[in-house]
Amino acid sequence: MQKQGNTANRLHGEIMERSGQDFYNCIQCGKCTAGCPVVSAMDLLPREILLYLQMGEEEKLLDSKTPWICASCFTCGARCIKDLDLSRIMEAIRAKMLRPRGVTCLSPGEIPKEQLEKLPQQALVSGFRKYTR
Ligand code: SF4
Ligand code: SF4
């Protein structure tokens, strides 16, 4: 139990530093999850991400596909009664997954030039935020 408490405290510090969001403010009301447009593709619901953060269940979070499925659409943040920006927390979890491993999953040089010209700039910026260190 003590170990889990320590993990939760460490996670809290890391996520706060990376996202500026305090996941302990979440009261599990589920409004974020009810409005998420891609929830059917997620293995953990958005509110479950908050719950596992609060419980210090780091392995469950790092094994989940949900942070990668999140489309950073900000709907959850607009609905949250506690003003939590869950898209920033998802981004912080993705960064946590990538940075310790020193992985860069996408670099501009790997995208064919013809696709670079066609892809919306917003999609490119979102992709680089998601998949690069
Ligand atoms: S930002 Fe992510 S978690 Fe939040 S509603 Fe959009 S897709 Fe769902
Ligand atoms: S809407 Fe906000 S308070 Fe409610 S479950 Fe989602 S993150 Fe937590």
Side-chain angles (χ1 to χ4, degrees):
M1 199 64 186
Q2 178 68 31
K3 191 176 170 209
Q4 203 168 35
N6 291 342
T7 305
N9 288 342
R10 181 176 47 74
L11 260 179
H12 184 244
E14 282 179 44
I15 299 297
M16 275 293 286
E17 187 182 347
R18 285 177 163 150
S19 71
Q21 305 297 302
D22 186 348
F23 56 69
Y24 283 134
N25 286 337
C26 172
I27 57 164
Q28 290 292 305
C29 71
K31 278 177 72 79
C32 52
T33 303
C36 177
V38 290
V39 73
S40 61
M42 292 173 167
D43 53 359
L44 289 181
L45 303 175
R47 71 161 186 81
E48 289 177 324
I49 292 285
L50 277 299
L51 181 63
Y52 285 128
L53 281 169
Q54 290 171 339
M55 293 167 66
E57 294 275 1
E58 190 169 24
E59 290 305 313
K60 282 202 170 70
L61 294 163
L62 297 183
D63 285 345
S64 172
K65 293 186 177 62
T66 290
W68 303 101
I69 299 291
C70 170
S72 303
C73 71
F74 305 115
T75 303
C76 49
R79 292 173 62 95
C80 180
I81 58 173
K82 299 296 279 184
D83 280 336
L84 275 172
D85 187 342
L86 187 45
S87 62
R88 292 180 71 177
I89 292 178
M90 294 286 194
E91 188 171 340
I93 295 171
R94 290 193 295 268
K96 184 172 167 49
M97 289 161 147
L98 289 174
R99 285 188 182 138
R101 299 179 200 161
V103 173
T104 294
C105 297
L106 181 69
S107 72
E110 293 169 26
I111 302 174
K113 191 167 178 286
E114 56 277 13
Q115 280 190 20
L116 269 180
E117 286 163 3
K118 284 185 197 156
L119 285 169
Q121 287 190 355
Q122 193 174 1
L124 286 171
V125 171
S126 175
F128 288 128
R129 285 177 69 193
K130 254 187 181 180
Y131 298 114
T132 59
R133 296 179 64 203

